[in-house]
Amino acid sequence: MPQNLQWMLIVAGVIAIAGLSLYIVRKGRRLRQHQRAVERTRALQAERRDSMIESIRILAMTLEQEQVEPSEGCIRIKGLLDHVEPELLNHSPYSVFQTIYEKTEHMPTHEARKQADPKLIQRLDQERFALEAEHADAIHEAALAIRYYRFDGSVAASSGEPRTVDPGRSTLHP
């Protein structure tokens, strides 16, 4: 093989190696950038989840202390649980949040309530008050339980029941 051909092949090989090296470096940078973006997204999701859990606990406390109407508290907790741990709504005592939501879902809120006939609103309020009275004990029990619930994603524990923390023995400070 002529020496010129050998040198041309060596130069072509070096150029190919340099090109592939550059490609690998760029792919590595993109991969690291992607991994950092994924980590940031996970951190933001965890922060958002923690914020929702804190909101659930605050709402539960306001329900216990009767600072919010029971139906409103249940609806808000149900909405947050839909994002944090929706399976929990299928378990006792937390299912009352779903029950109250379903039984009040047809009732107008906000602007629709302002524009509705006052007699209809009065009738719906009476229906809501009766529903709240009927489920008062269950709402209070669920509010207390959710306040001390460990949100670790373990609803489907071996027994199939959600894990709660005994508030009397808890070291948590909700």
Side-chain angles (χ1 to χ4, degrees):
M1 181 181 294
Q3 195 171 16
N4 286 344
L5 182 60
Q6 288 177 351
W7 281 109
M8 285 179 27
L9 290 175
I10 290 173
V11 169
V14 169
I15 291 173
I17 290 171
L20 289 173
S21 296
L22 183 62
Y23 175 78
I24 290 170
V25 168
R26 285 184 179 168
K27 280 292 190 180
R29 279 189 201 141
R30 286 187 193 144
L31 179 60
R32 283 189 297 282
Q33 286 173 344
H34 177 72
Q35 287 171 336
R36 282 193 297 268
V38 166
E39 288 170 12
R40 280 192 303 269
T41 301
R42 283 188 185 141
L44 288 173
Q45 287 172 339
E47 185 179 313
R48 182 171 181 248
R49 178 180 164 81
D50 290 345
S51 175
M52 286 190 275
I53 290 169
E54 182 65 22
S55 294
I56 289 169
R57 290 199 169 114
I58 289 169
L59 281 166
M61 192 170 23
T62 62
L63 268 175
E64 285 178 64
Q65 297 171 357
E66 298 177 5
Q67 295 176 356
V68 66
E69 290 188 12
S71 56
E72 182 180 349
C74 289
I75 291 166
R76 290 176 183 264
I77 289 173
K78 186 262 185 211
L80 289 166
L81 283 174
D82 279 344
H83 297 285
V84 174
E85 212 161 306
E87 314 83 38
L88 199 59
L89 293 165
N90 298 323
H91 297 282
S92 180
Y94 314 106
S95 59
V96 73
F97 300 132
Q98 181 73 32
T99 301
I100 297 295
Y101 174 82
E102 289 171 354
K103 291 185 177 184
T104 59
E105 163 175 52
H106 67 284
M107 298 179 182
T109 60
H110 308 296
E111 258 328 289
R113 181 177 172 90
K114 290 177 187 175
Q115 295 175 0
D117 179 38
K119 288 184 181 185
L120 172 66
I121 296 300
Q122 186 177 11
R123 186 177 58 78
L124 291 174
D125 283 346
Q126 293 305 317
E127 181 184 333
R128 184 171 48 85
F129 295 148
L131 181 66
E132 291 172 352
E134 176 186 347
H135 294 283
D137 291 339
I139 291 170
H140 188 270
E141 179 186 352
L144 181 63
I146 198 76
R147 219 174 128 201
Y148 294 98
Y149 180 76
R150 292 189 329 214
F151 287 93
D152 58 3
S154 63
V155 173
S158 59
S159 67
E161 290 298 314
R163 295 186 200 174
T164 56
V165 177
D166 180 3
R169 296 178 28 198
S170 174
T171 59
L172 295 175
H173 302 288

